Amino acid sequence: MSSLEVVGLSKRFGVRTAVDELTFTAHQGDIIGLLGPNGGGKTTTIRLLTTILRPSAGAFSVTGIPGDQHSAIRQRIGVLPESAGYPVRQTGREYLRYSARLFGLSRAEATRVTDRLLADVGLSDRAGARISTYSRGMRQRLGIARALVNDPAVVFLDEPTLGLDPAGQREVLVTVRDIAQRRGATVVLSTHTLTEVEQVCTSLLILRRGKLLAAGTVSDVIATVGAQRSGRLRVAPGLIPRAQAALARVSGLEFTGDTDHPGELKLDATSSAQEPWDNALRALLDARIAVLAFDTDATRLSDAFLSLTEEDQP
Ligand SMILES: Nc1ncnc2c1ncn2[C@@H]1O[C@H](COP(=O)(O)OP(=O)(O)OP(=O)(O)O)[C@@H](O)[C@H]1O
């Protein structure tokens, strides 16, 4: 059974349609990236799915529970809102224990769950300190722990890495991956950071003015725009002639020349298909050429995103 089923979900504020007939399905362990330009409808989508807002049309269910059963839904979900506030005089441990008690856990259970979550998000050693002394990254991780106290099936994280330094971002992303892989929860993650999506999301939804423009894996979305994919290959500089010879036999790929870096080759695909790239790697491995780097999508998701979300699109 799917953990999250969304069908034709819409939200209008007066004449403005913030979410327009959104339909998608998510399963256990999925990390869904919700992407889109400012005002695209990401936060409104999360507010609808967390029962903060009522839909104007459409429906959704969480583990089969219909979205209009608010209290039952809230038992099955966890949320890190866009700008979460914290009782800064409390310690991290007090805050989590209190939150767990609100979900009806006994004192002993609340303590057990709190200690485990503090360890999971890497806050055990600061658990007894007041939240006012926490960095932004620590607060975000505490907020994620708070979203997990009821062992939810679906966790919604609204821009969880916003304003964090690279180390803080990485810690949050590791936590997100853990939630999906170890707990088997579904994560819906709203973000503006495309590299983040490439690193952790199993699929993505791109929203513009409330409409779903593209959905699927990173490769699916790139294929949606029919982008001719390009890539870069790096090998030891002395191996370039052999690499070129091996790749010359792969159909569907063209060399577009050297780059500024010795040992790097630029390649273009003549279609959006994945096969030429797979064949290229196979050809290099068969020729026993050590591949130092092989990068196809990284620079292309941003191209696909921009092409999909440009304002002159219909
Ligand atoms: N309570 C509200 N009343 C009226 N309009 C609203 C309300 N909430 C959101 N909107 C409008 O709905 C649209 C979608 O907003 P939303 O906050 O969902 O976008 P977003 O993708 O989360 O944007 P951002 O990336 O800037 O956070 C915007 O045009 C916004 O102005």
Side-chain angles (χ1 to χ4, degrees), residues 249-292:
R249 291 191 286 275
V250 177
S251 61
L253 283 186
E254 288 169 356
F255 289 111
T256 43
D258 301 330
T259 71
D260 295 338
H261 303 284
E264 198 169 75
L265 278 177
K266 258 172 87 179
L267 300 164
D268 268 342
T270 50
S271 74
S272 60
Q274 177 62 33
E275 209 185 351
W277 300 104
D278 295 344
N279 290 341
L281 257 187
R282 209 167 288 129
L284 293 163
L285 294 175
D286 287 347
R288 296 183 170 278
I289 294 168
V291 176
L292 302 178

Side-chain angles (χ1 to χ4, degrees), residues 97-295:
R97 224 188 261 153
Y98 174 74
S99 305
R101 295 280 283 152
L102 288 181
F103 275 102
L105 272 64
S106 69
R107 263 174 219 282
E109 278 172 331
T111 301
R112 188 181 54 76
V113 166
T114 293
D115 288 345
R116 188 177 149 209
L117 286 174
L118 286 165
D120 286 352
V121 301
L123 284 177
S124 299
D125 57 341
R126 295 293 304 277
R130 283 189 179 190
I131 299 172
S132 58
T133 66
Y134 286 15
S135 69
R136 189 174 165 84
M138 290 167 69
R139 286 182 197 204
Q140 287 298 75
R141 282 183 282 136
L142 181 67
I144 293 175
R146 158 73 183 76
L148 297 172
V149 288
N150 56 327
D151 195 18
V154 184
V155 184
F156 297 90
L157 307 174
D158 201 350
E159 302 200 29
T161 57
L162 187 72
L164 301 188
D165 63 20
Q169 285 178 12
R170 198 181 52 231
E171 282 160 0
V172 165
L173 293 182
V174 167
T175 306
V176 167
R177 210 179 275 142
D178 228 44
I179 296 170
Q181 287 176 354
R182 287 209 311 197
R183 295 175 166 263
T186 301
V187 180
V188 178
L189 172 97
S190 136
T191 179
H192 283 288
T193 315
L194 299 179
T195 47
E196 194 168 300
V197 170
E198 289 175 318
Q199 282 168 26
V200 298
C201 293
T202 53
S203 60
L204 58 144
L205 305 169
I206 298 187
L207 291 173
R208 183 177 60 107
R209 286 197 240 136
K211 272 198 188 304
L212 188 59
L213 297 180
T217 62
V218 170
S219 299
D220 291 341
V221 169
I222 290 167
T224 305
V225 296
Q228 200 188 50
R229 292 165 61 179
S230 63
R232 280 164 197 264
L233 164 73
R234 198 149 55 79
V235 297
L239 293 178
I240 284 282
R242 279 180 55 205
Q244 280 178 319
L247 292 172
R249 291 191 286 275
V250 177
S251 61
L253 283 186
E254 288 169 356
F255 289 111
T256 43
D258 301 330
T259 71
D260 295 338
H261 303 284
E264 198 169 75
L265 278 177
K266 258 172 87 179
L267 300 164
D268 268 342
T270 50
S271 74
S272 60
Q274 177 62 33
E275 209 185 351
W277 300 104
D278 295 344
N279 290 341
L281 257 187
R282 209 167 288 129
L284 293 163
L285 294 175
D286 287 347
R288 296 183 170 278
I289 294 168
V291 176
L292 302 178
F294 192 68
D295 178 12

